[in-house]
Amino acid sequence: MTVHQQLDSGELSELERRYRLERERRVRPDGAAQYRTADAEFGYYAADPYTTGPDEREPRRDTVDVAVIGGGFGGILAGAHLRSRGVESIRIVEKGGDFGGTWYWNRYPGIHCDIESHVYLPMLDETGYVPEWKYAPGDEIRRHAVRIARHADLYADALFSTAVTALTWDEASETWIVATDRGDAFRATYVITATGTLTDPKLPGIPGIEAFKGHTFHTSRWDYGYTGGTPEGGMTGLAGKRVGIVGTGATAVQAVPMLAEDAAHLYVFQRTPSTVDVRANRRTTAQDVGADREGWARRRRENYLRIVSGEHTEQDLVADRWTESAGLLEKLLPSFRRHGDREAFEAGYETADAAKMNELRARVDRIVTDPETAHKLKPWYRYACKRPTFSDLYYPAFNRDDVTLVDTADTHGIERVTEDGVVVGGIRYALDCLIFATGFDVGASGIHSGRLPVRGRGGVGLLDRWARRGPRTLHGFTSNGFPNLIQLGSLQNASSVNFTHILDEQARHAAALVAAAEAADALVEPSTETEDAWLATLTEGAPDHEWFHAECTPGYYNREGRGRPNGPTAYPHGAVAFHELLARWREESLGEVLRGRADSARGTGDRPSGGRSTPGGCR
């Protein structure tokens, strides 16, 4: 069945009934509280296995022009765009041992990006690089992050294996004091935060999890010292081992086929099956993507963004399952698709959604030979309820005699962990190794979770300021009371399935704010009235998707079945429109966030080697 075939009202009603039944099997009363963060007693799950440890160095007490918190693509792109504007004194602080962010941490076997590499990897035009695969493996992506960092000369003053512990505005010097877990307390005229949403691993709060005496780790901290091999496989350390993996999301869909090849027996513990569509990965050439033409990557990336944002295009340059099903993303990524008669729109949406999901369920039946296993692997929810995944190897893995799918829906997950295994439905599964593919504390960056306290004017905390009326920003970047603090992320701006494109536009905007402030000898800080106007813009025309997510199977998209957060969280008309809005604002209204400096306010302390910035950049 294709998305173009029609379903009658009886079929739609039966699907809705089945979706509701399957949802209720999985909703837990503790919601998101079922998870534990990888800190305190579980800190070893978050330890960095990819470096021998931080290099010895003296704590920094100097002053830089711009401190960038986070060395993933957001931080790297911020540094690159700042550098292009002549800023010399840039310090990126990263808790990992190198640049890469989520691609530094995630090196599990089989790791690839789900977005086509020619639109996912930023700055291809600038670096002259053409990806080798349509969907790049993780190591190629990580190496490209390093390529951009070297291209922009960001290594010279970077601080790795270092976590920022506090940001404090000093009114006298009009600088931020940046404190870290390495004893640093340096100053920065501007701070750009790019702490990401896929860095803090989470664990299920399973009783007895600390009692397991076998080997265990989180997929974002893969222990190749134990498994052997590389992300390409060859995990000889798993020979003769009984391995369990908890979770069947995007990570497990890629890791399970590799584990199935090398473990003596693999047990896959599933609460909710993912949708798993066709991958069809292949090697590519420059000719395949038109890389012989100047600006090829930007054109391809803009074309992709327009399609997944519901905008009109004459041609689909990427032509994959994301763009084919783009219309079904509207419940997740608001766009201009909502026009005309709402009832007709919703009816058409439901029909297309049901047809697509029937297609995906039929794929399970075509591939998985055991009827009972196939039944458990079928996803019963709407397409935008969970993150779509793509693989040509995942379903065939369950045709192996040495792979067992253990469905935990009726027990609300694994019941308990013992010293040598796990228990589900009263049955104990003996294990030598237990791997958690349970994802991240999505959306909870250090600042928004409170783990990185930020204190602005008068010592007021950012979260304290937001406690009564909710987050308050202009375009998601800046907030009143917190001068020269620029936040990258998905709060109160726009998002897309290709988040590196979003980050590149955000980094470009952040660099423009810094450049404008320097040219005007001013601080970047919106007024409360400007914040009010932006919040009103977010509210006006915002779609009512609360009902949709309330009916979804529990997951991180809907706060484990509790529904989407209340209040304005995203620009309601999509990423393309948002980027156009930002460009107009920079041309016409950027001056409204610039405030004069105090005459006596200047940074203190020594600047790092490299001297002062060139004209037009930071002082």
Side-chain angles (χ1 to χ4, degrees), residues 545-569:
H545 288 169
E546 183 67 21
W547 68 270
F548 178 91
H549 291 284
E551 293 182 1
C552 281
T553 190
Y556 70 83
Y557 277 4
N558 68 351
R559 298 185 299 171
E560 295 297 331
R562 301 296 176 86
R564 300 279 278 180
N566 294 322
T569 60

Side-chain angles (χ1 to χ4, degrees), residues 42 44-45 206-214 417-421:
F42 298 102
Y44 55 89
Y45 281 100
I206 305 171
I209 188 174
E210 64 281 349
F212 185 64
K213 293 188 180 301
V417 178
T418 67
E419 290 186 354
D420 59 355

